[in-house]
Amino acid sequence: MKFRSALIVLSIILGSSIADLQLARSESSKNLIEQGITKSEFGSDAEAIKLFDTALKQNPDSVIAYLKRGRSKRNLKQYQAALKDYDRAIALNPRAISAYTGRGNTYDLLKQNVLRDKDFDRALQLTPRDSKEYADLGWIYWHRQEYEKSIKYNTIAIELDPDNQYAYGCRAYAYGAIGKKELSVADFNSLLKLDLSSLLKSKSSISTKEHSYYLSRISSDYFNLDKYPEAIDSANQGIKLDRTNSLNFYWRGNSYQSLGKFNLAIADYKKYLELDPNDSYVFEQIAWSYFRLDKYQEAILNANKAIAIGIKLNYALSIRGRAFYSTENYSAALSDFNTIIKTDEKDANAHKWRGHSNLYINNYQQAILDYDRAIALNQKHDDIYLYRNRAFAKRQLNKKAESIADYQQALKIAEKERNVEKIKELKMSISDIQNEPQRLAIGTLLTLIITGASYCGLIKIDRRNESKYLAQFQD
């Protein structure tokens, strides 16, 4: 009896010890995950992975540890390893939205669009449970250009967690995409405050490398608020702390480009590429800076590099097309703009520049159709060149009334902008058309008297001046 009682007491003691040990391991695993999340937030993903590894040894069924480790591996471009972590998270919890969005984002980076869309579709079918999952759905809708839905889900995410930086950033971009500038600015301001607060709280406990990373985030916030000097200052501080952080060069380059300092922007983009040589977007930015410097061959070369990587084609094609146009290679320009329009029929700029290219090869009817489409897509109706160039094309087809109407619309825009030079030019064009029969008759008579030239001779003289006239139409 005493022996049995002793066994019972011992079993209770042992059971209690095992439960305590399991609880301790659980708490230790939770603490390690939180530390890993903080490390990842400050850009130290390699250190974060080690913490998640230890946490998973203590708790092999932690979905959150797999999710966060998968994200850190993705940040380090360890894509296959990241996919395995997301697969494991889904096996443990098939309703974990973040596992599908994380895996979908990884497939996106691997250009496996079918698998990406399948994961995104699955995520959208699930019911979100917390702020992070609502923000994940908000991001998917943003990625699919369903901006109103993105705003809706990110708003819920922010209501559940007012410190959800990810949701503020995504909603800010969504507001910007639908033209709600004030709301976008408000969200970027909120994001900036949160980032500054996080940095101040953690400044004494983070490494210089982590400090530099967070300064790059703050630089991006200032850039999105059009505060370019502040963005440059933050990036400068980050570069002083750690020159291996490519993001500070990236955001400083963007800010220089926005200020029209294209040579400085190119220098920063090239430093970025030394650290991350396969970023198509940065090649696009270099191409654009060279284009703005009228260095068209360099623009074409860098656009080609972006297209070869092939992640974001249309912007690179647009820059290259404009560069071809500017070097009078109109057939190559038309090819690039045709390619863009095939993939995105609503690209107003592609229609506009295809219209310019058609105008230069005297394909006036096609130019008019392109300008029609570009004007329909330009909801602000504030582009002088669209109306002025369409007016010129219509004039060549002898559609005088329609031509005058377009010139008058361009004139209204010029007067609103108080552009004295264009106002004068457009009034002269209108006057030329209105007085054309009288002037033409006098010109023909004088020519016949003085030179004996035919009427066709006058037209040829006018056509020789056409290219000089059209040269004014580049924006």
Side-chain angles (χ1 to χ4, degrees), residues 129-132 134-135 151-165 167-168 171 175 187:
R129 300 163 299 172
D130 55 30
S131 175
K132 177 65 176 69
Y134 276 103
I151 290 165
K152 172 185 174 182
Y153 281 95
N154 280 306
T155 298
I156 297 172
I158 291 166
E159 288 171 352
L160 291 171
D161 178 9
D163 293 337
N164 190 325
Q165 294 154 297
Y168 277 112
R171 192 173 70 172
Y175 277 134
D187 273 352

Side-chain angles (χ1 to χ4, degrees), residues 229-271:
E230 291 89 343
I232 291 168
D233 182 58
S234 291
N236 285 341
Q237 293 180 51
I239 290 166
K240 287 179 181 177
L241 290 171
D242 178 20
R243 293 188 67 83
T244 67
N245 184 346
S246 61
L247 290 172
N248 281 305
F249 290 111
Y250 172 76
W251 290 110
R252 191 173 70 174
N254 282 354
S255 299
Y256 280 138
Q257 188 183 74
S258 297
L259 291 170
K261 298 179 179 181
F262 300 112
N263 284 315
L264 290 174
I266 290 168
D268 269 348
Y269 290 139
K270 287 182 176 179
K271 288 174 183 173

